[in-house]
Amino acid sequence: MTRMPRQEGFGAVHHVVAQGNGRRPIVEDDRDRVAFVNRFERIVRELRWATVTSCLMDTHHHVVVQTAEPNLGLGMKRLQGGHARWFNVRHGRDGNLFRHRFWSRRIRDKGWLLRACVYVVLNPVAAGLCAHPREWRWCSYARIAGGSPDSFAPGEELLLGMLGDSPLEARRRYVELVDVGVEVALARRKPDGASLWRSLGRIPALGGEQVSG
C-alpha cells in the first residue's frame, strides 16, 4: 500500500504520535521517562521546534509541535531511533521498539489545534491513570496552566493566544476547557482515542467553532 507523503512545511504545526510496536511500552519506569523527555527536548532545541503541548504515556507519546523548517521526519527519526537504542541496551532487548512509521496530522485551523491540545493532555485521564492532567507529571498541562501570568513561554502563544487577550486570561480559559474535557473523559469508562476525540467535538469551543484570537 502506498503511504501518503508527510505534509511538512516551514512553520507547520503537527499533531504527532509515536506508538510502541504492537502497542508495547516505550518506557517502563521513571528513568526511561526522563531519558525520553530529555532526548525529545534536546531535539526540539537543536531543530528549533516549538512544543505546543505534549504527553508521554507508557505505550506512546503525543505532541503538538511547530517546526521552523520541514524537518518533522528527521526529528522523529532521531527521537525514535535514539530512544530505542538506549532502551534496548538498558533493558537487554532487541528488535523494533516503535512502529516503523509514526502517525502525524498537519493542523491548519484554530479549532482543530485547540481540540488536539486538550485531547493530548486528557490521555492519562481517559486511560484511568489519574483524575486530572495536573496529576500526570509527564504531560504539559501543569506547565501551561501554571505558567507566567504576564508572558507566554515558547510555543504557548499558538495555543493560549486563541483563548484570551492576556496570558493570565488565556491560562484561566485553558484550565476551564480542560476541566470540561475531564468531565467528558471521566463520564466514559476508559474511552479509546477515537471516542474521546468525538466526545470532545461535542463541546462547542472544541467542535471546530470559532474561538477568540
Side-chain angles (χ1 to χ4, degrees):
M1 180 180 295
T2 302
R3 291 176 173 174
M4 296 295 292
R6 301 285 183 192
Q7 296 182 342
E8 298 204 27
F10 294 94
V13 180
H14 304 272
H15 179 191
V16 188
V17 183
Q19 179 80 52
N21 191 29
R23 298 187 181 275
R24 291 190 291 271
I26 60 174
V27 291
E28 293 193 351
D29 56 25
D30 281 358
R31 185 179 175 190
D32 287 348
R33 295 181 184 97
V34 169
F36 184 96
V37 169
N38 287 346
R39 185 181 303 276
F40 176 72
E41 291 179 348
R42 183 167 63 250
I43 290 169
V44 165
R45 291 192 301 270
E46 292 172 353
L47 297 185
R48 298 188 300 117
W49 292 0
T51 302
V52 184
T53 193
S54 64
C55 184
L56 175 61
M57 303 286 286
D58 287 350
T59 61
H60 61 285
H61 175 241
H62 277 276
V63 66
V64 177
V65 66
Q66 183 178 41
T67 58
E69 300 179 20
N71 55 12
L72 178 67
L74 170 65
M76 292 304 297
K77 180 178 180 181
R78 288 171 56 181
L79 175 66
Q80 294 188 169
H83 181 71
R85 288 189 293 272
W86 185 90
F87 181 96
N88 284 346
V89 168
R90 182 182 178 220
H91 294 284
R93 312 276 182 84
D94 56 21
N96 294 327
L97 180 64
F98 292 91
R99 288 185 181 180
H100 180 66
R101 184 175 169 86
F102 63 91
W103 179 90
S104 69
R105 177 190 174 104
R106 184 165 176 178
I107 300 174
R108 299 180 183 272
D109 66 82
K110 291 182 178 181
W112 195 279
L113 173 61
L114 184 56
R115 188 171 165 191
C117 288
V118 173
Y119 170 84
V120 165
V121 299
L122 288 177
N123 265 245
V125 178
L129 299 174
C130 60
H132 195 281
R134 63 174 167 264
E135 301 169 7
W136 190 250
R137 175 184 172 188
W138 310 103
C139 84
S140 58
Y141 172 83
R143 171 180 57 79
I144 296 172
S148 170
D150 302 314
S151 62
F152 296 121
E156 288 185 343
E157 190 167 4
L158 282 171
L159 167 61
L160 296 178
M162 297 185 285
L163 298 177
D165 294 330
S166 70
L168 178 61
E169 178 187 356
R171 293 186 200 282
R172 287 175 176 169
R173 179 59 176 151
Y174 172 72
V175 170
E176 292 171 356
L177 282 175
V178 173
D179 285 348
V180 173
V182 167
E183 294 178 5
V184 170
L186 292 178
R188 305 177 65 89
R189 186 173 181 81
K190 291 190 178 181
D192 60 30
S195 65
L196 176 60
W197 179 263
R198 290 192 297 270
S199 296
L200 292 178
R202 291 192 282 273
I203 300 172
L206 300 179
E209 298 183 8
Q210 185 176 358
V211 295
S212 64

